[in-house]
Amino acid sequence: VYLPVPDDFGFLPTVYSHGWYALPPFAVTGHQLQRVLVLPGNRAVRCTISAHRNGLRIVAGIRDVTASDRRSITTQVRQCLRLDEDFTTFHSEARRHRRFRWIAGAKAGRLLRSPTVFEDIVKTICTTNCTWSLTTLMVRNLVGLLGPRGGDGATGFPNAEAIAGSSERFLRSEVKAGYRSPYILEFAERVASRKLDPESLRSPDFAESLYESLRSIKGMGPYASESMLRLLGRYEHLALDSWVRSRYYSLHHAGRKVRDATIERSYAPFGEWKGLFFWLEMTRDALGKKIRIIPQTS
DNA sequence: GCGTCCAGGTCTACC
DNA sequence: GGTAGACCTGGACGC
């Protein structure tokens, strides 16, 4: 399957935009993004996505790809790589500031996301108050123990029904989600019973109340909700956590700690895009280590 | 080897 | 509306 991309789309800057690429069922091998997608009929299929002169090349690990499979694959890949989101305003804004000019040059700005809002929320809860290695462990266990399996051993992300069908004890002892277990279970139960539809959060109808809607999910505090807002295409919050704070201290204050309000104030001029400028500036060197075209901070 | 601290925080109770 | 204390887990660190 070949997929055309917008001119301002950068494949690797999107793949490496944040840690999601390393969390199953995403993986990276060489310059290819692997993703186990769940196709109609709850079939898990490993797909390999790579940059190609005509856009993107997607190879599915099944013999017969039907027209409906093809539609499902391209829809999900478009979602993950945000091919339908418009970044022209953002890039022209980036060109106006010397310190952000590299962003437009590198075609960066799109943040990798999951095919479903459900998956992004569960993963975000798994990032709170723990090390990245523990996040990886929790997600790996969720996928490995509850995800749908494909023919070649490919395992997709479990749907709400699968997680809701487990138990708090299982999530604690097997998934190692600890005190987050009741939060994840409650969220999955609400989604499985149709009391909550996470996909509806993409709708413009939620524009005003999006933050409050996310905060109403147990386990989604200020950091997690602001981080989720970013994945939903809203960049007006900084989503401060211990990692970006320490990054900010070392980049702008020689490692000296400053108050959150100081950080907020320094990005206030960048308005609705400030969260994205902030994130890209904080992760620029990490991205540069993955992709040579990104200039390192001098 | 063992105890302590903290990590890509959040919730609840209490003031 | 602001704050203290509890909370799973595992890796880093000091002793």
Side-chain angles (χ1 to χ4, degrees):
Chain A
V1 180
Y2 290 92
L3 205 55
V5 297
D7 287 342
D8 60 5
F9 170 78
F11 177 62
L12 292 178
T14 305
V15 168
Y16 290 119
S17 54
H18 65 127
W20 261 208
Y21 73 87
L23 294 181
F26 279 117
V28 167
T29 49
H31 284 332
Q32 297 179 325
L33 176 67
Q34 308 266 349
R35 167 76 203 196
V36 178
L37 294 174
V38 181
L39 302 187
N42 211 27
R43 290 171 298 141
V45 173
R46 191 186 311 280
C47 294
T48 306
I49 306 151
S50 53
H52 185 267
R53 59 191 157 80
N54 296 333
L56 292 174
R57 178 168 181 255
I58 309 169
V59 178
I62 43 174
R63 196 173 289 265
D64 300 310
V65 182
T66 66
S68 129
D69 289 342
R70 197 183 306 266
R71 271 196 303 278
S72 176
I73 290 170
T74 54
T75 302
Q76 294 188 65
V77 170
R78 299 185 78 81
Q79 196 67 255
C80 294
L81 301 176
R82 319 177 87 102
L83 297 182
D84 300 316
E85 200 169 317
D86 184 20
F87 279 82
T88 44
T89 316
F90 173 67
H91 283 149
S92 52
E93 187 67 17
R95 284 189 201 92
R96 290 182 53 228
H97 307 280
R98 192 182 175 80
R99 67 197 261 210
F100 298 137
R101 220 163 274 166
W102 67 273
I103 293 172
K107 301 186 176 184
R110 286 179 169 81
L111 303 179
L112 183 68
R113 61 180 169 186
S114 308
T116 67
V117 177
F118 174 75
E119 179 181 330
D120 276 339
I121 290 179
V122 171
K123 283 180 169 172
T124 299
I125 292 175
C126 291
T127 65
T128 56
N129 194 29
C130 65
T131 54
W132 184 251
S133 63
L134 185 54
T135 298
T136 309
L137 178 69
M138 288 186 262
V139 173
R140 200 166 56 217
N141 288 336
L142 274 175
V143 171
L145 299 170
L146 297 172
R149 286 181 196 289
D152 61 347
T155 313
F157 195 82
N159 59 21
E161 287 75 12
I163 296 179
S166 71
S167 65
E168 185 180 325
R169 177 186 290 203
F170 178 84
L171 294 174
R172 280 180 189 270
S173 63
E174 306 301 317
V175 175
K176 305 292 179 191
Y179 70 90
R180 302 165 197 80
S181 302
Y183 305 153
I184 295 170
L185 189 63
E186 184 189 306
F187 174 56
E189 282 170 346
R190 283 172 67 197
V191 175
S193 64
R194 307 282 187 270
K195 287 179 183 143
L196 176 65
D197 174 18
E199 293 305 314
S200 70
L201 297 175
R202 295 193 206 273
S203 158
D205 299 343
F206 272 94
E208 293 302 315
S209 58
L210 193 49
Y211 181 74
E212 287 69 27
S213 303
L214 290 164
R215 287 285 281 115
S216 73
I217 298 166
K218 268 196 191 146
M220 294 288 288
Y223 155 74
S225 298
E226 291 186 12
S227 181
M228 242 343 269
L229 274 180
R230 228 166 28 197
L231 292 184
L232 287 165
R234 293 267 299 274
Y235 308 106
E236 70 268 40
H237 296 279
L238 300 188
L240 296 175
D241 59 29
S242 56
W243 190 84
V244 283
R245 281 190 188 94
S246 83
R247 207 50 210 126
Y248 180 85
Y249 303 152
S250 67
L251 280 176
H252 291 292
H253 294 271
R256 188 174 53 82
K257 197 175 168 183
V258 296
R259 295 193 312 175
D260 287 355
T262 307
I263 308 179
E264 296 278 357
R265 209 164 37 240
S266 73
Y267 284 85
F270 305 114
E272 60 173 324
W273 298 107
K274 66 182 175 192
L276 194 49
F277 280 131
F278 176 64
W279 177 256
L280 290 168
E281 188 170 65
M282 296 304 109
T283 55
R284 174 175 166 177
D285 288 351
L287 191 58
K289 288 191 180 109
K290 301 279 187 191
I291 312 166
R292 275 176 305 169
I293 57 164
I294 311 280
Q296 298 279 297
T297 312
S298 53

